[in-house]
Amino acid sequence: MLVGVPKEIKVHEYRVGLVPGSVRELTAHGHEVVVEAGAGAGIGIADETYEAAGAVIVPSAEAVFDAADLIVKVKEPLQEERRRLRPGQILFTYLHLAPDPDQAADLVASGATCIAYETVTSPSGGLPLLAPMSEIAGRMSIQAGAYFLEKVHGGLGVLLGGVPGVDPGKVVVIGGGVVGTHAISIALGMGADVWVIDRNVEQLRALWRQFGRPLNTVFSTREAVERHLREADLVIGAVLIPGAAAPKLVSEHLIRQMKPGAVVVDVAIDQGGCFETSRPTTHDDPTYVVHDVIHYCVANMPGAVPRTSAQALNNATLPFVLAIADKGVRQALADDPHLRAGLNVHAGRITHPAVADALGLPCVAPEEALTLAPA
């Protein structure tokens, strides 16, 4: 199979779909890899390094899309990239279609087979291709929140860890999954007063066992969310329903009741965000203020640390890339129900029920869609 790696074009997105080590594995399996010139520059990898791993460097994204059977990216394809997709081509990347009807319509119209990293599952019920980026985003959420709590950046002027004789800042994490767990780890390490809110009692027990008494665990009710957010200095939104739009757990009315200068970091923004007042921002312009509360809603947070995140992502995606290239996409999907869970669009049809439900569109089961001719 001919595998293509275009350079990412989202604002301040420096990650790359395949690192040279992954290219070498693909070429060792007998596959060809074409890489757009400069695709690895954001993580300090020269074109010559890709060539040494067996890739062919091509001058443009158009050349990659024209040649490749399988396109491996990081972020969702922007409009100019979606126009280059063709029937039967395979796209493997993060998609986050639920809050993005325009992208979904373009992918359906393209006739391509589109597999989303964020809905591929694992035997244990996890999301193995989302997990490494969730780990990074969770850790970065506290870093970003602490920065914007500084008075010079518009915040309350609170040091999360406090000092002897002065209370630490209060951090409230909504959602105790992968993002929340890593946010908790960093916040506790900084000495903050950390509270996690989740509706899954077993997850709260697991977090209690992991972190011990320094972590405060709260069962999620409207009353609990309202009470703790009014007192919070920093709130991390860390909820996820695989493939679906994030639930709006924090109303604008509640944002209005928070401390002036408090910070909210919405890590769920890729799926539409879990605060009513959230809208996507970029690393160029990461924050805005609503009712005197600073909102940080950058949709590609791990892109700020691309050397770490590109390698972590490749560690997770490479086995699936190899399976698709070695077997062909239909056989790979047929053989692996967990990869099949990642299929969002095939031959002009939406194939993931949560995506279809969020967009109000019909859904064709992946098993059925794979037997059908293009729409």
Side-chain angles (χ1 to χ4, degrees):
M1 186 174 284
L2 202 160
V3 182
V5 183
K7 184 176 182 178
E8 297 293 322
I9 59 174
K10 193 177 180 103
V11 174
H12 284 307
E13 181 51 73
Y14 302 108
R15 290 172 290 180
V16 62
L18 293 176
V19 296
S22 299
V23 171
R24 186 174 176 185
E25 291 298 314
L26 280 161
T27 56
H29 281 237
H31 305 295
E32 299 175 74
V33 181
V34 294
V35 176
E36 182 181 355
I43 57 172
I45 297 176
D47 292 344
E48 292 76 13
T49 305
Y50 276 105
E51 289 178 316
V56 173
I57 302 299
V58 295
S60 65
E62 185 176 13
V64 171
F65 279 84
D66 284 349
D69 306 305
L70 166 61
I71 299 290
V72 181
K73 280 178 42 62
V74 178
K75 290 303 293 177
E76 72 281 354
L78 301 187
Q79 189 175 48
E80 66 187 85
E81 296 172 305
R82 301 195 296 263
R83 286 198 296 263
R84 297 188 174 113
L85 291 168
R86 62 178 185 272
Q89 196 167 43
I90 308 156
L91 174 66
F92 195 31
T93 189
Y94 289 114
L95 292 177
H96 300 293
L97 292 179
D100 194 348
D102 291 341
Q103 185 196 173
D106 286 348
L107 296 184
V108 167
S110 74
T113 296
C114 305
I115 304 171
Y117 292 161
E118 72 272 9
T119 62
V120 172
T121 58
S122 71
S124 65
L127 300 170
L129 307 191
L130 188 62
M133 298 304 97
S134 295
E135 291 165 355
I136 291 169
R139 289 170 174 266
M140 289 184 67
S141 69
I142 301 300
Q143 195 171 291
Y147 178 85
F148 286 104
L149 274 172
E150 295 177 15
K151 190 69 176 178
V152 292
H153 301 128
L156 274 164
V158 168
L159 180 66
L160 281 184
V163 293
V166 180
D167 287 343
K170 178 170 180 174
V171 176
V172 176
V173 179
I174 304 176
V178 176
V179 169
T181 299
H182 284 263
I184 290 164
S185 176
I186 298 303
L188 288 175
M190 294 177 73
D193 177 27
V194 185
W195 298 71
V196 59
I197 301 176
D198 200 289
R199 64 188 306 173
N200 184 332
V201 175
E202 287 306 313
Q203 183 61 24
L204 292 176
R205 288 194 178 107
L207 291 168
W208 179 278
R209 288 193 297 270
Q210 180 174 350
F211 294 108
R213 185 59 191 89
L215 175 65
N216 301 282
T217 57
V218 180
F219 182 76
S220 182
T221 63
R222 287 180 175 83
E223 185 277 333
V225 171
E226 291 170 1
R227 174 162 51 91
H228 286 287
L229 262 66
R230 290 190 194 105
E231 301 169 353
D233 301 302
L234 170 60
V235 180
I236 308 300
V239 296
L240 174 70
I241 301 173
K248 301 295 185 186
L249 298 181
V250 178
S251 67
E252 182 172 358
H253 178 69
L254 182 52
I255 291 288
R256 193 189 297 270
Q257 297 176 58
M258 290 179 65
K259 298 176 185 176
V263 176
V264 297
V265 178
D266 197 342
V267 186
I269 194 65
D270 274 329
Q271 295 293 124
C274 59
F275 303 98
E276 275 190 353
T277 45
S278 291
R279 57 176 173 79
T281 61
T282 67
H283 289 292
D284 259 351
D285 189 13
T287 64
Y288 58 93
V289 177
V290 178
H291 304 310
D292 297 321
V293 174
I294 297 171
H295 289 57
Y296 181 98
C297 303
V298 174
N300 61 326
M301 289 176 66
V305 287
R307 289 176 185 251
T308 298
S309 55
Q311 186 62 61
L313 181 60
N314 269 243
N315 292 346
T317 58
L318 179 60
F320 295 99
V321 174
L322 286 169
I324 294 168
D326 288 347
K327 298 179 178 182
V329 70
R330 288 178 182 270
Q331 192 61 51
L333 291 167
D335 289 350
D336 186 350
H338 302 293
L339 178 60
R340 195 161 63 242
L343 187 65
N344 281 206
V345 178
H346 176 71
R349 297 165 177 89
I350 298 289
T351 57
H352 194 287
V355 171
D357 184 62
L359 296 171
L361 295 173
C363 180
V364 177
E367 297 83 356
E368 180 184 352
L370 291 168
T371 70
L372 300 176

